[in-house]
Amino acid sequence: MSDTQSRNVTAFTVLAGISVAHLLNDTIQSIVPAIYPMLKESFALSFAQVGLMTLTLQLTASLLQPLVGFYTDRRPTPYSLVIGMAFTLLGLLLLSGAPTFVLVLVAAGLMGVGSAVFHPESSRVARMASGGRHGLAQSLFQVGGNVGSSFGPLLAAFLIVPHGQRSIAWCSLLALLAMMILWWIGGWHRARYLVAPVAPASSSSRSATVHPRVSSRRVTWSIVILCALLFSKYFYLASLTSFYTFYLISKFHVSIRTAQIDLFIFLFAVGIGTILGGPVGDRFGRKHVIWGSILGVFPFTLLLPHANLFWTPLLTIAIGLVLASAFSAILVYAQDLVPGRVGLISGVFFGFAFGMGGLGAAVLGRLADAVGIEFVYRLCAFLPAIGLLAAFLPDLEE
């Protein structure tokens, strides 16, 4: 086997490893919203307090991720992924024994810190191992996270809810497995950096680090448009990930376990949709994927509040498949707009996405307390119309 072939095999092995680590990380992260019904009953919480848990989890991740990405662009830290997972492990153990709502929030915050450290640097690893197929690499990385997110409700339904809050501690085994994988990936990252170190961008060259065919001003407006699209995507996703189980229980009077299984089905569809977005973007252009995924989900979100129990899960599958294809395309598109700033761009966009998810959960929780959970879905149905802004993005592909 030649050196080039060896590097290619290693790259795909690393992509598989970072995707599995993402799966384990997001499985752990998704446990928190999956056990909301149990926590709501145990601590006598309002919908606003339920939303506050998501806000705490996502806000710590949102604020720290750009800082982590900014730092690691200048000083790569291969083993920081292991440190981030250690914060997640501490959050899990605290959550399993938290006797008060305040400590539940602290546990969520620690898990958010772990997520903040994980995502920017792991996204860099995926790009390093891509061999130039950036969309495919990001999709493989993202699909691990989204499939992992779908496993959280299953753990809640079959492990945590039957055995109580303390059974969350068993999930720490997932964090320990992830730390082992990330330690190996850190060694690969360190070896790759020693062979071909990347010099940090100097202040004199920062103004030039934009796409050569797009002006700096248009790059700025494009980033604003991409953030608006993420706002629409993650505000709507917050309505499903945080409150879908309550919606099913309230409207159709299903059991908690049935609602959690339906949430798993939706999140699994999100995982499948994610892996489609990157390769399709590599093949046909990321702007087309962004346009189609955000705006294309609009008819399904309009129908969802009026559907019966049979059609509701089917519509959420369609929503998950179509909407999930957007993020990989948006992230790689932004990285192409501002080359040389992979960590910073990844941190900003992951952080913004997490922040919008947390803010959406908090706002929608208060709204659900005031006017009812069903009204929330009627209102959120119009969010994908913001996808029309994708028409103003420049074409980056030749």
Side-chain angles (χ1 to χ4, degrees):
M1 181 180 290
S2 68
D3 290 343
T4 301
Q5 290 173 320
S6 178
R7 285 195 296 271
N8 287 339
V9 171
T10 302
F12 276 103
T13 304
V14 170
L15 281 176
I18 201 67
S19 182
V20 171
H22 200 186
L23 182 150
L24 295 170
N25 179 80
D26 283 24
T27 297
I28 295 168
Q29 300 288 333
S30 67
I31 287 172
V32 179
I35 60 173
Y36 281 166
M38 185 183 77
L39 294 176
K40 188 175 187 293
E41 182 178 344
S42 299
F43 295 99
L45 305 178
S46 66
F47 280 117
Q49 288 173 307
V50 170
L52 184 60
M53 282 189 281
T54 300
L55 179 62
T56 303
L57 176 66
Q58 305 287 48
L59 193 60
T60 50
S62 174
L63 295 177
L64 288 176
Q65 285 195 55
L67 299 177
V68 172
F70 183 81
Y71 178 81
T72 55
D73 274 339
R74 285 155 175 72
R75 188 173 181 176
T77 51
Y79 294 103
S80 62
L81 295 171
V82 180
I83 297 172
M85 191 58 64
F87 277 98
T88 299
L89 176 60
L90 289 175
L92 264 180
L93 294 175
L94 179 58
L95 182 62
S96 68
T100 65
F101 178 62
V102 172
L103 286 179
V104 169
L105 292 180
V106 173
L110 285 171
M111 294 172 70
V113 171
S115 185
V117 176
F118 177 82
H119 284 93
E121 194 66 3
S122 56
S123 182
R124 180 202 305 281
V125 169
R127 191 171 179 94
M128 287 172 61
S130 68
R133 300 170 69 182
H134 304 313
L136 174 63
Q138 282 298 325
S139 285
L140 290 174
F141 169 63
Q142 289 295 329
V143 75
N146 286 336
V147 171
S149 295
S150 71
F151 289 159
L154 290 184
L155 283 174
F158 296 103
L159 172 65
I160 299 171
V161 171
H163 298 97
Q165 184 178 342
R166 291 196 175 275
S167 62
I168 296 172
W170 285 103
C171 300
S172 61
L173 296 175
L174 300 178
L176 291 172
L177 176 59
M179 291 172 74
M180 293 170 60
I181 295 171
L182 293 173
W183 183 266
W184 170 75
I185 288 174
W188 176 88
H189 186 183
R190 182 175 180 273
R192 181 75 173 260
Y193 180 72
L194 289 175
V195 171
V198 180
S202 65
S203 59
S204 61
S205 66
R206 286 173 194 164
S207 61
T209 56
V210 298
H211 195 280
R213 295 192 293 110
V214 183
S215 67
S216 297
R217 182 177 180 181
R218 195 166 187 199
V219 165
T220 301
W221 279 111
S222 298
I223 295 294
V224 171
I225 290 172
L226 293 175
C227 287
L229 298 178
L230 285 181
F231 161 79
S232 125
K233 169 182 166 67
Y234 280 93
F235 242 69
Y236 188 82
L237 282 178
S239 72
L240 287 170
T241 55
S242 293
F243 302 110
Y244 184 44
T245 52
F246 297 111
Y247 174 75
L248 292 172
I249 292 168
S250 171
K251 185 171 182 178
F252 302 114
H253 309 292
V254 300
S255 66
I256 291 178
R257 175 174 289 188
T258 299
Q260 287 168 332
I261 292 172
D262 283 342
L263 178 60
F264 159 74
I265 292 170
F266 162 71
L267 292 174
F268 192 81
V270 169
I272 299 300
T274 298
I275 202 170
L276 299 176
V280 172
D282 284 340
R283 179 73 175 83
F284 298 105
R286 280 172 269 280
K287 181 179 175 180
H288 296 97
V289 174
I290 294 168
W291 172 274
S293 62
I294 303 291
L295 191 61
V297 81
F298 193 27
F300 304 115
T301 61
L302 287 176
L303 289 172
L304 182 63
H306 310 288
N308 58 24
L309 182 57
F310 173 79
W311 285 105
T312 293
L314 297 178
L315 286 171
T316 58
I317 289 172
I319 291 169
L321 286 171
V322 177
L323 194 59
S325 61
F327 187 77
S328 296
I330 289 174
L331 182 59
V332 176
Y333 183 94
Q335 290 172 347
D336 290 343
L337 270 176
V338 191
R341 292 289 189 271
V342 175
L344 178 60
I345 291 297
S346 298
V348 167
F349 276 80
F350 274 113
F352 187 81
F354 280 41
M356 288 302 99
L359 182 62
V363 170
L364 296 177
R366 285 192 172 273
L367 189 62
D369 281 334
V371 295
I373 193 68
E374 293 183 34
F375 178 81
V376 167
Y377 284 90
R378 294 192 188 99
L379 181 64
C380 290
F382 294 93
L383 285 172
I386 296 174
L388 290 168
L389 293 175
F392 298 99
L393 292 172
D395 292 316
L396 301 185
E397 292 87 5
E398 292 291 349

